[in-house]
Amino acid sequence: MFDPQTAALIRAGPKLPDLVLDRLPEEMTRVFAEIVALRLRLATGPAHLPAEVIRKLEEFRRIAVTYEAMVLLMPSREDRSAAAFVAAQTHHLLHLARRAQGGIPPPVLSAESISPEISALLLFLIANQPSDAMEMAREIESAAQEQQSVLRVLTAAICALGKGELGTIVELSYDHQILEDYEEAAVAALYGEILTGIKLFADFVLHADRFRNGPTEAMTIFLRVQKISVEAIETPIADFADSENTPPVSSFAGPHHLASLLLGAAANLGHAALAAVPPPPGLDGSAWSTLVSSIATRRPFLWPNHLAALELGFLNPGTSSVVSFPTGGGKTTLSELKIATVLANGGAVIYLAPTHALVGQTKRDLTNAFSVPVRESFLVEDYYAEI
């Protein structure tokens, strides 16, 4: 279920009593296999998860909420990305188990809470694992149809963030409803403010070269929602007058929790915004920004392997490289960034493809990415697209 890199990330999670991190990737894989097997058995009749798996899922539930709390309350931890990834994966396994057993899904967004699926999506983004966030977004979309207007649109924005479809976020809108219930009106206002923050963050990611201070506008909104979602309650009880005791509070826990996760996601993803990549040495900054902004509309975030390649000088003019990632590992993003380097430097690119079908696909992709003429040529028995 996990490649060596993600298995290592899981094993790097925070230590907890009685939790053997070295065995955790294998235990998660075994539970996933049991859930898949249950779904197959249900096709032929009633079936249930083994008692041992149910006990393990309860353990995963404790891991999920504990690690998620660590991510939110201790943002400076060195193992924060590992904690976020483990929390997200365990939330996802619990979601799959509930769905396989026909459980009723919790509300996606409410005054009191956000669903574990929303938590998982944002935790994957905090861990900079966008492919997992994309899968989670698809799981959430089908569950959001029954919500009221602002919640439905906000859920769509969160899913679009998970899928990297930031252009659609900027265009989202909803009809403001006049709500007679004060609590419902307050919740709608708080979630509406969070939607505004997500739209500002999407605008930053798409045009990061225009923002000198990073995603500060969006993060300011998330901080404001976080603050006004919690209010201390005045009480005449003498015990709470003592400074050593914490007074009771009134809170809208759902908006507070969502704003807290978005703060973490915005802080992490702000550093991974593709549009924020500076021009390689010697390149024209204006031409580079134009080319990279075009790529960012479809692939807005750099993955950890992309960032590592850039740190090694992959984009420097004159640098030759061999890139080998598994399918879906992000080779296309690096290829397009390398092409942008050449084009911004006034050069031309020959892109080889092994089959005629891939030539057509490559031509379409490169045309969409750079809006420059791409022509096909035929050479011996190979095909290639030339910019």
Side-chain angles (χ1 to χ4, degrees):
M1 180 176 173
F2 302 106
D3 59 33
Q5 288 75 25
T6 51
L9 185 61
I10 292 170
R11 295 188 182 103
K15 294 181 180 179
L16 297 175
D18 302 322
L19 175 61
V20 182
L21 287 167
D22 285 345
R23 292 208 307 262
L24 191 55
E26 290 75 17
E27 290 175 350
M28 295 169 74
T29 300
R30 186 167 63 253
V31 169
F32 176 77
E34 289 285 357
I35 293 170
V36 172
L38 171 66
R39 295 175 65 178
L40 293 174
R41 292 197 301 271
L42 285 170
T44 58
H48 303 280
L49 286 172
E52 179 187 353
V53 174
I54 292 175
R55 286 194 296 271
K56 185 58 66 174
L57 285 168
E58 184 55 38
E59 179 184 335
F60 287 170
R61 192 185 311 280
R62 294 195 297 272
I63 292 171
V65 296
T66 302
Y67 275 13
E68 185 174 354
M70 289 180 172
V71 169
L72 295 178
L73 300 176
M74 294 177 275
S76 60
R77 291 184 66 103
E78 292 184 0
D79 54 10
R80 190 186 191 212
S81 291
F85 183 68
V86 174
Q89 283 288 0
T90 45
H91 274 313
H92 190 203
L93 283 171
L94 291 162
H95 160 76
L96 293 175
R98 184 179 62 247
R99 191 178 65 178
Q101 296 176 99
I104 299 174
V108 179
L109 299 171
S110 71
E112 297 81 14
S113 66
I114 65 175
S115 71
E117 291 76 16
I118 290 285
S119 288
L121 188 156
L122 294 173
L123 287 163
F124 277 133
L125 292 179
I126 291 172
N128 200 8
Q129 300 293 325
S131 59
D132 291 302
M134 186 179 300
E135 180 182 350
M136 204 69 247
R138 296 193 184 102
E139 300 278 354
I140 294 168
E141 284 177 320
S142 61
Q145 302 305 313
E146 300 303 321
Q147 299 194 114
Q148 57 178 281
S149 179
V150 63
L151 303 186
R152 185 167 58 251
V153 175
L154 176 55
T155 303
I158 295 169
C159 290
L161 180 64
K163 294 189 293 184
E165 298 173 352
L166 302 193
T168 64
I169 295 176
V170 178
E171 300 172 357
L172 287 173
S173 63
Y174 66 95
D175 295 328
H176 293 264
Q177 299 174 316
I178 299 176
L179 300 171
E180 296 182 0
D181 184 281
Y182 288 166
E183 180 175 326
E184 288 183 9
V187 172
L190 289 168
Y191 278 133
E193 192 74 355
I194 290 176
L195 176 60
T196 299
I198 293 177
K199 293 174 76 169
L200 285 170
F201 179 68
D203 188 46
F204 158 74
V205 174
L206 292 173
H207 310 100
D209 56 308
R210 305 177 190 172
F211 294 78
R212 293 186 178 183
N213 298 319
T216 52
E217 288 183 84
M219 295 180 73
T220 298
I221 287 179
F222 300 145
L223 280 168
R224 183 164 68 243
V225 172
Q226 197 182 47
K227 181 178 179 180
I228 63 179
S229 294
V230 179
E231 181 182 26
I233 300 174
E234 294 184 8
T235 174
I237 301 175
D239 288 346
F240 288 113
D242 187 339
S243 60
E244 294 182 359
N245 291 310
T246 302
V249 298
S250 170
S251 70
F252 291 107
H256 184 277
H257 192 176
L258 181 59
S260 301
L261 284 169
L262 283 165
L263 270 172
N268 276 34
L269 294 177
H271 298 299
L274 190 150
V277 175
L283 264 63
D284 177 77
S286 177
W288 170 257
S289 294
T290 300
L291 291 164
V292 169
S293 294
S294 179
I295 301 172
T297 59
R298 295 168 297 107
R299 298 183 178 90
F301 301 118
L302 292 170
W303 300 358
N305 53 350
H306 300 152
L307 293 169
L310 268 56
E311 289 177 3
L312 291 172
F314 173 80
L315 294 181
N316 293 349
T319 298
S320 299
S321 305
V322 175
V323 177
S324 177
F325 297 147
T327 300
K331 296 185 291 294
T332 300
T333 298
L334 284 180
S335 299
E336 290 182 354
L337 284 173
K338 192 66 173 178
I339 290 171
T341 302
V342 176
L343 295 179
N345 207 26
V349 176
I350 294 175
Y351 195 115
L352 299 175
T355 66
H356 190 263
L358 281 177
V359 169
Q361 177 184 326
T362 300
K363 180 178 179 180
R364 289 191 301 273
D365 291 345
L366 294 179
T367 301
N368 292 334
F370 300 107
S371 301
V372 296
V374 178
R375 66 177 184 270
E376 297 178 28
S377 299
F378 178 74
L379 177 63
V380 192
E381 292 183 353
D382 293 327
Y383 297 89
Y384 63 90
E386 181 181 353
I387 298 180

Short mmCIF file of all heavy atoms in Angstrom, two decimals, residues 123-147:
data_model
loop_
_atom_site.label_atom_id
_atom_site.label_comp_id
_atom_site.label_asym_id
_atom_site.label_seq_id
_atom_site.Cartn_x
_atom_site.Cartn_y
_atom_site.Cartn_z
N LEU A 123 -5.10 17.64 6.15
CA LEU A 123 -3.88 17.06 6.73
C LEU A 123 -2.95 16.53 5.64
O LEU A 123 -1.72 16.64 5.75
CB LEU A 123 -4.24 15.96 7.72
CG LEU A 123 -4.84 16.44 9.04
CD1 LEU A 123 -5.53 15.30 9.77
CD2 LEU A 123 -3.76 17.07 9.93
N PHE A 124 -3.51 15.95 4.59
CA PHE A 124 -2.68 15.52 3.46
C PHE A 124 -1.98 16.73 2.84
O PHE A 124 -0.81 16.64 2.44
CB PHE A 124 -3.53 14.81 2.40
CG PHE A 124 -3.80 13.36 2.68
CD1 PHE A 124 -5.08 12.84 2.56
CD2 PHE A 124 -2.78 12.49 3.04
CE1 PHE A 124 -5.35 11.50 2.81
CE2 PHE A 124 -3.02 11.14 3.28
CZ PHE A 124 -4.31 10.65 3.17
N LEU A 125 -2.68 17.85 2.74
CA LEU A 125 -2.05 19.05 2.18
C LEU A 125 -0.97 19.59 3.11
O LEU A 125 0.07 20.04 2.65
CB LEU A 125 -3.11 20.12 1.91
CG LEU A 125 -4.11 19.82 0.79
CD1 LEU A 125 -5.10 20.96 0.64
CD2 LEU A 125 -3.38 19.57 -0.53
N ILE A 126 -1.22 19.55 4.42
CA ILE A 126 -0.19 19.98 5.37
C ILE A 126 1.05 19.10 5.24
O ILE A 126 2.19 19.58 5.35
CB ILE A 126 -0.74 19.94 6.81
CG1 ILE A 126 -1.81 21.04 6.98
CG2 ILE A 126 0.38 20.10 7.83
CD1 ILE A 126 -2.55 20.97 8.30
N ALA A 127 0.84 17.81 4.97
CA ALA A 127 1.96 16.89 4.77
C ALA A 127 2.54 16.98 3.37
O ALA A 127 3.49 16.27 3.05
CB ALA A 127 1.50 15.45 5.04
N ASN A 128 1.98 17.86 2.53
CA ASN A 128 2.39 18.02 1.13
C ASN A 128 2.32 16.70 0.37
O ASN A 128 3.27 16.28 -0.28
CB ASN A 128 3.80 18.62 1.02
CG ASN A 128 4.04 19.23 -0.37
OD1 ASN A 128 3.12 19.34 -1.18
ND2 ASN A 128 5.27 19.62 -0.64
N GLN A 129 1.15 16.06 0.48
CA GLN A 129 0.86 14.82 -0.26
C GLN A 129 -0.38 15.07 -1.13
O GLN A 129 -1.48 14.60 -0.82
CB GLN A 129 0.63 13.67 0.72
CG GLN A 129 1.80 13.37 1.62
CD GLN A 129 3.00 12.81 0.86
OE1 GLN A 129 2.85 12.07 -0.11
NE2 GLN A 129 4.19 13.16 1.31
N PRO A 130 -0.23 15.85 -2.21
CA PRO A 130 -1.40 16.29 -2.98
C PRO A 130 -2.16 15.17 -3.68
O PRO A 130 -3.37 15.28 -3.88
CB PRO A 130 -0.82 17.28 -4.00
CG PRO A 130 0.63 16.94 -4.07
CD PRO A 130 1.02 16.43 -2.72
N SER A 131 -1.49 14.09 -4.05
CA SER A 131 -2.21 13.00 -4.73
C SER A 131 -3.21 12.35 -3.78
O SER A 131 -4.33 12.00 -4.18
CB SER A 131 -1.23 11.97 -5.28
OG SER A 131 -0.44 11.42 -4.23
N ASP A 132 -2.84 12.20 -2.50
CA ASP A 132 -3.77 11.64 -1.52
C ASP A 132 -4.91 12.63 -1.23
O ASP A 132 -6.06 12.23 -1.03
CB ASP A 132 -3.03 11.32 -0.22
CG ASP A 132 -2.07 10.16 -0.37
OD1 ASP A 132 -2.52 9.07 -0.75
OD2 ASP A 132 -0.88 10.34 -0.12
N ALA A 133 -4.58 13.93 -1.20
CA ALA A 133 -5.62 14.94 -0.99
C ALA A 133 -6.63 14.92 -2.13
O ALA A 133 -7.83 15.09 -1.92
CB ALA A 133 -4.98 16.32 -0.88
N MET A 134 -6.15 14.69 -3.33
CA MET A 134 -7.04 14.62 -4.49
C MET A 134 -8.01 13.45 -4.37
O MET A 134 -9.22 13.59 -4.62
CB MET A 134 -6.21 14.47 -5.77
CG MET A 134 -7.01 14.53 -7.06
SD MET A 134 -5.96 14.37 -8.53
CE MET A 134 -4.88 15.79 -8.32
N GLU A 135 -7.52 12.30 -3.94
CA GLU A 135 -8.40 11.14 -3.74
C GLU A 135 -9.45 11.43 -2.67
O GLU A 135 -10.62 11.08 -2.81
CB GLU A 135 -7.56 9.92 -3.36
CG GLU A 135 -8.39 8.66 -3.14
CD GLU A 135 -7.55 7.47 -2.71
OE1 GLU A 135 -6.30 7.56 -2.76
OE2 GLU A 135 -8.14 6.45 -2.30
N MET A 136 -9.02 12.08 -1.59
CA MET A 136 -9.95 12.40 -0.51
C MET A 136 -11.01 13.37 -0.98
O MET A 136 -12.19 13.28 -0.59
CB MET A 136 -9.17 13.01 0.66
CG MET A 136 -9.82 12.86 2.00
SD MET A 136 -9.86 11.16 2.59
CE MET A 136 -11.60 10.82 2.55
N ALA A 137 -10.64 14.33 -1.83
CA ALA A 137 -11.60 15.31 -2.34
C ALA A 137 -12.71 14.62 -3.11
O ALA A 137 -13.89 14.99 -3.00
CB ALA A 137 -10.89 16.32 -3.24
N ARG A 138 -12.36 13.61 -3.88
CA ARG A 138 -13.39 12.88 -4.64
C ARG A 138 -14.34 12.16 -3.71
O ARG A 138 -15.54 12.03 -3.99
CB ARG A 138 -12.72 11.89 -5.60
CG ARG A 138 -11.86 12.55 -6.68
CD ARG A 138 -11.50 11.55 -7.76
NE ARG A 138 -10.61 12.12 -8.75
CZ ARG A 138 -9.29 11.90 -8.80
NH1 ARG A 138 -8.73 11.10 -7.92
NH2 ARG A 138 -8.54 12.47 -9.72
N GLU A 139 -13.82 11.67 -2.58
CA GLU A 139 -14.68 10.98 -1.61
C GLU A 139 -15.67 11.95 -0.97
O GLU A 139 -16.80 11.60 -0.66
CB GLU A 139 -13.82 10.34 -0.52
CG GLU A 139 -12.81 9.31 -1.01
CD GLU A 139 -13.45 7.95 -1.23
OE1 GLU A 139 -14.64 7.79 -0.89
OE2 GLU A 139 -12.77 7.05 -1.75
N ILE A 140 -15.24 13.19 -0.75
CA ILE A 140 -16.06 14.17 -0.04
C ILE A 140 -17.17 14.74 -0.92
O ILE A 140 -18.29 14.97 -0.44
CB ILE A 140 -15.18 15.32 0.49
CG1 ILE A 140 -14.21 14.79 1.55
CG2 ILE A 140 -16.02 16.45 1.06
CD1 ILE A 140 -13.12 15.77 1.90
N GLU A 141 -16.89 14.95 -2.18
CA GLU A 141 -17.82 15.69 -3.05
C GLU A 141 -19.22 15.10 -3.04
O GLU A 141 -20.22 15.82 -3.00
CB GLU A 141 -17.26 15.75 -4.47
CG GLU A 141 -16.15 16.75 -4.63
CD GLU A 141 -15.55 16.74 -6.02
OE1 GLU A 141 -15.37 15.65 -6.59
OE2 GLU A 141 -15.25 17.84 -6.54
N SER A 142 -19.31 13.79 -3.06
CA SER A 142 -20.62 13.15 -3.13
C SER A 142 -21.42 13.30 -1.84
O SER A 142 -22.64 13.13 -1.84
CB SER A 142 -20.47 11.67 -3.46
OG SER A 142 -19.72 11.02 -2.44
N ALA A 143 -20.75 13.64 -0.74
CA ALA A 143 -21.43 13.73 0.56
C ALA A 143 -21.90 15.14 0.89
O ALA A 143 -22.51 15.36 1.92
CB ALA A 143 -20.51 13.23 1.66
N ALA A 144 -21.63 16.11 0.00
CA ALA A 144 -21.88 17.51 0.34
C ALA A 144 -23.13 18.08 -0.30
O ALA A 144 -23.42 19.26 -0.16
CB ALA A 144 -20.67 18.34 -0.06
N GLN A 145 -23.89 17.27 -1.00
CA GLN A 145 -24.99 17.80 -1.79
C GLN A 145 -26.16 18.32 -0.96
O GLN A 145 -26.89 19.21 -1.39
CB GLN A 145 -25.50 16.71 -2.76
CG GLN A 145 -24.42 16.20 -3.70
CD GLN A 145 -23.74 17.29 -4.49
OE1 GLN A 145 -24.42 18.16 -5.04
NE2 GLN A 145 -22.43 17.28 -4.54
N GLU A 146 -26.36 17.78 0.25
CA GLU A 146 -27.54 18.14 1.03
C GLU A 146 -27.33 19.36 1.93
O GLU A 146 -28.23 19.75 2.65
CB GLU A 146 -27.96 16.94 1.89
CG GLU A 146 -28.31 15.70 1.08
CD GLU A 146 -29.43 15.95 0.06
OE1 GLU A 146 -30.37 16.68 0.41
OE2 GLU A 146 -29.33 15.44 -1.05
N GLN A 147 -26.16 19.95 1.90
CA GLN A 147 -25.89 21.06 2.80
C GLN A 147 -26.47 22.37 2.26
O GLN A 147 -26.72 22.50 1.07
CB GLN A 147 -24.38 21.21 3.00
CG GLN A 147 -23.74 19.97 3.62
CD GLN A 147 -22.35 20.27 4.11
OE1 GLN A 147 -22.08 20.22 5.29
NE2 GLN A 147 -21.47 20.57 3.19
#
